[in-house]
Amino acid sequence: MLKTGRLLLRPWFEDDAEELFELARDPKVGPAAGWPPHASVDESAAVIRDVLMMSDSFAVIERATGALVGAMALKHPEISEMAGIGEAELGYWIGVPYWGCGYATEAARAAVAYGFGELGLTAIWAGYYEGNERSHRVQEKLGFEFQYRRESDVELLGEHRIEICQRLVPQR
């Protein structure tokens, strides 16, 4: 569990399915990150079980209200196309009602500190699809640096996009 001034990053629970569905059904959220909007609470529960309940994957919770606001994860090399041994890929999204609050940057900063401090990672990668300026700004604020662009198949949406891949190394 990670804490920031306004947020708690904790493991996912199946009980989070209803709140997840409320955020993940919005068509402004998933497609920007490469996945379709959720169609039901049951689908959200399956995503929690099959995708989100992995190590170093966190539900982002607003401390003042206890509300789920989004997701944050450090994806290790076995599930990341960018990260190599001793590295991870940062993945994140925030629900539309919480856009503009700085939560993505705050939660990502905590995940990065955890990755470098607790996990001893040598680099953290992050990507965003061309046109996703919200995600780009989060990475920019954290100091991620451009590495390369690549053509990427977005399998869950049946699309082909350009992905910008960036990297952050620990400050010495």
Side-chain angles (χ1 to χ4, degrees), residues 3-143:
K3 290 183 182 179
T4 72
R6 301 178 298 162
L7 303 172
L8 175 67
L9 282 69
R10 62 149 173 85
W12 286 91
F13 305 117
E14 286 192 46
D15 290 355
D16 294 322
E18 284 188 33
E19 279 189 284
L20 174 58
F21 173 65
E22 288 304 314
L23 297 176
R25 70 182 182 159
D26 191 312
K28 295 179 193 139
V29 177
W35 45 270
H38 290 195
S40 68
V41 173
D42 287 341
E43 179 182 356
S44 292
V47 167
I48 290 170
R49 280 191 311 274
D50 301 340
V51 178
L52 298 174
M53 285 182 133
M54 64 178 183
S55 65
D56 303 321
S57 175
F58 304 99
V60 179
I61 307 296
E62 191 176 51
R63 288 176 67 176
T65 64
L68 175 70
V69 302
M72 185 72 48
L74 289 170
K75 300 183 281 185
H76 297 282
E78 57 274 9
I79 59 170
S80 168
E81 293 181 15
M82 284 184 247
I85 302 299
E87 302 175 339
E89 178 185 345
L90 181 69
Y92 53 90
W93 62 266
I94 298 294
V96 172
Y98 305 98
W99 285 5
C101 296
Y103 286 164
T105 302
E106 186 173 332
R109 191 169 279 124
V112 164
Y114 167 75
F116 289 143
E118 298 295 316
L119 301 179
L121 298 174
T122 58
I124 297 176
W125 291 82
Y128 64 92
Y129 294 117
E130 201 168 61
N132 186 346
E133 286 307 309
R134 290 181 179 282
S135 195
H136 178 207
R137 280 195 304 274
V138 169
Q139 293 172 31
E140 193 173 61
K141 289 175 187 175
L142 294 174

